[in-house]
Amino acid sequence: MSLHDRVALVTGAGRGIGRAIADRLADGGCRVVVADVDGASAEQAAAEIGVAYETETLGVGANVADATSVKQMVEAAVAAFGSVDILVNNAGITRDGLLLRMKEADWDQVLAVNLKGAFLCTQQAARLMAKGRWGRIVNIASIVGAMGNIGQANYVAAKAGLIGLTKTVAREYASRGITCNAVAPGFIDTAMTQALTEEIRAALLAQIPMQRLGSPEDVATTVAFLASEAAGYVTGQVVHVNGGMYM
Ligand code: NAP
């Protein structure tokens, strides 16, 4: 599972699943660019990861929904480390509501961060990876992108779209040594799910054969495999990490 000396860029990595992915890739020997819309949390996470795993890191404030911001983020990565070999499109938000009551702005914002953000980052990074004829792109989708979910029309549409983007990027870049896969987490214990009521959490747990929420590390381990040398023949796939909730 060699990751040694690769340059990895993880979006939304100031906390939660993205932070665990950044930790895991650094632990595997990557130099890591920690990007987050909250620049202070990106810088703090980068500093902590650098110390913990004795590797080079860079914290960058970047909004994935903004093309200029994404361009500057990738330029900063190149200035620091020369390239981007591994891109993890993790940044994501929810703005839940039933379809009839969903505000247009909530639809637009969720699509902009979760789907357009991955498109913008992939476009920038794939150009660099193609030059080196090696690359790994991992998109963090969701179980609901496969199942649908009441109250999440915007989020589900974005995650299902991300799966479509994954398969297209996989086809367009396979001949250049670049793989593109999606990881679809089930319900993972982060700020995003801590916002759910006890009643909803209990109802979710009842649907999970493993009878626990996943941890950010459960997701990070799968991402690290897909980002590694060992996964070179795996592309265009959706890997579900959900304790058996969806099979
Ligand atoms: P989280 O704890 O809310 O972390 C998301 C991170 O993304 C935050 O640091 C957030 O910054 C950042 N972010 C938000 N908007 C951004 C933008 N425009 N540009 C750059 N960064 C941005 O969420 P999480 O649970 O770790 O989720 C990570 C990913 O996994 C998301 O794509 C999510 O959809 C997916 N996922 C999560 C679960 C789950 O159960 N938790 C399940 C399936 C899929 P701020 O702190 O400033 O908001």
Side-chain angles (χ1 to χ4, degrees):
M1 286 238 306
S2 178
L3 292 161
H4 204 66
D5 268 349
R6 296 291 182 192
V7 178
L9 190 160
V10 186
T11 67
R15 65 174 194 198
I17 294 171
R19 170 63 197 265
I21 293 168
D23 274 281
R24 182 66 190 76
L25 294 176
D27 195 19
C30 290
R31 290 173 284 166
V32 180
V33 182
V34 177
D36 201 285
V37 70
D38 177 352
S41 80
E43 281 173 23
Q44 194 185 330
E48 288 170 6
I49 292 168
V51 172
Y53 304 103
E54 294 177 3
T55 188
E56 289 178 274
T57 59
L58 175 73
V60 187
N63 175 4
V64 297
D66 181 272
T68 306
S69 182
V70 168
K71 202 159 175 282
Q72 287 167 350
M73 170 185 78
V74 174
E75 282 168 1
V78 172
F81 301 131
S83 191
V84 173
D85 306 310
I86 297 165
L87 168 68
V88 183
N89 286 309
N90 166 78
I93 59 168
T94 51
R95 296 286 182 273
D96 296 350
L98 293 171
L99 184 77
L100 282 183
R101 287 193 221 126
M102 185 168 284
K103 294 190 177 69
E104 188 182 347
D106 289 339
W107 173 274
D108 288 345
Q109 212 180 345
V110 167
L111 269 287
V113 175
N114 297 31
L115 184 54
K116 182 181 167 189
F119 157 68
L120 292 173
C121 295
T122 300
Q123 203 175 40
Q124 291 295 322
R127 194 170 286 142
L128 295 171
M129 292 172 185
K131 279 189 200 152
R133 301 196 79 78
W134 194 96
R136 298 282 186 266
I137 299 167
V138 184
N139 295 324
I140 307 303
S142 171
I143 187 173
V144 301
M147 291 175 70
N149 201 22
I150 291 170
Q152 291 197 306
N154 48 3
Y155 183 77
V156 170
K159 293 301 190 183
L162 188 56
I163 291 170
L165 175 68
T166 301
K167 293 177 183 179
T168 297
V169 172
R171 286 184 186 276
E172 286 193 16
Y173 283 92
S175 65
R176 295 182 178 112
I178 300 169
T179 68
C180 183
N181 292 286
V183 171
F187 283 83
I188 310 297
D189 202 3
T190 68
M192 196 177 261
T193 45
Q194 279 151 17
L196 301 171
T197 64
E198 269 312 310
E199 201 184 349
I200 293 177
R201 279 169 78 90
L204 285 171
L205 270 179
Q207 297 173 52
I208 304 173
M210 289 201 173
Q211 297 181 327
R212 66 169 177 90
L213 264 59
S215 68
E217 292 71 27
D218 289 326
V219 180
T221 306
T222 304
V223 173
F225 167 66
L226 292 171
S228 74
E229 202 60 51
Y233 200 57
V234 182
T235 197
Q237 304 305 307
V238 182
V239 182
H240 287 268
V241 180
N242 60 30
M245 185 174 178
Y246 172 79
M247 299 180 187

